[in-house]
Amino acid sequence: MSASTTLGAVRPHRHPAGPPRGRPALLLRPAAEAPAPRAPLTLTRRGRLVLLGLPVLAGSAALVVLAVVFLVPSTATATSGPVPGAGTEVVTVFPGQSLWELALAAEPDRDPRDVVDEIVELNDLRTSRLVAGQQLEVPAV
């Protein structure tokens, strides 16, 4: 047998049920057929609302914020004078005087523990020990 007679005798085998399962079928479109024209894009009522309404809403909100920032007067004012309200006074510590005594003398109507805490905070004290002649700020009545 020669190679030419063997190759000539082989014919392609066609499957009656289509192409084999392992291989995808190739679908070819004839060259003369043009793609179908697409319909023009149309927006629904909801689509128009989203497309036009959201930017208008965001712009309106930005304008309101800008108007509030620039048109409403500021409530905070800077002054160089003394601040009205509860003030302090400077006292000199006498020998043997404690923070408790200073608190009772400064504000006798308040709880002395609260006044002692305020004196410690005002003077940034690290200890409760006082020295005679020391200057301390205490709450003024």
Side-chain angles (χ1 to χ4, degrees):
M1 250 189 184
S2 72
S4 62
T5 57
T6 306
L7 288 177
V10 176
R11 285 189 287 166
H13 177 44
R14 304 209 185 259
H15 294 283
R21 289 187 184 192
R23 296 181 187 168
L26 294 176
L27 300 176
L28 298 176
R29 192 181 299 178
E33 185 181 325
R38 292 187 176 191
L41 180 67
T42 57
L43 287 176
T44 62
R45 181 182 227 182
R46 185 184 305 168
R48 281 190 299 272
L49 179 67
V50 169
L51 188 65
L52 300 175
L54 286 180
V56 169
L57 184 67
S60 300
L63 286 176
V64 167
V65 168
L66 286 174
V68 167
V69 167
F70 289 113
L71 298 179
V72 175
S74 175
T75 57
T77 57
T79 63
S80 60
V83 178
T88 61
E89 59 184 44
V90 177
V91 296
T92 304
V93 177
F94 295 113
Q97 203 171 21
S98 67
L99 285 173
W100 190 269
E101 292 174 37
L102 287 173
L104 285 173
E107 293 199 30
D109 297 336
R110 284 181 54 198
D111 184 5
R113 293 172 289 196
D114 295 335
V115 180
V116 167
D117 289 340
E118 199 171 333
I119 292 171
V120 168
E121 186 177 333
L122 281 171
N123 296 287
D124 196 27
L125 297 176
R126 303 283 182 233
T127 179
S128 63
R129 178 170 260 183
L130 299 178
V131 178
Q134 184 177 0
Q135 300 280 321
L136 292 177
E137 286 189 54
V138 295
V141 178

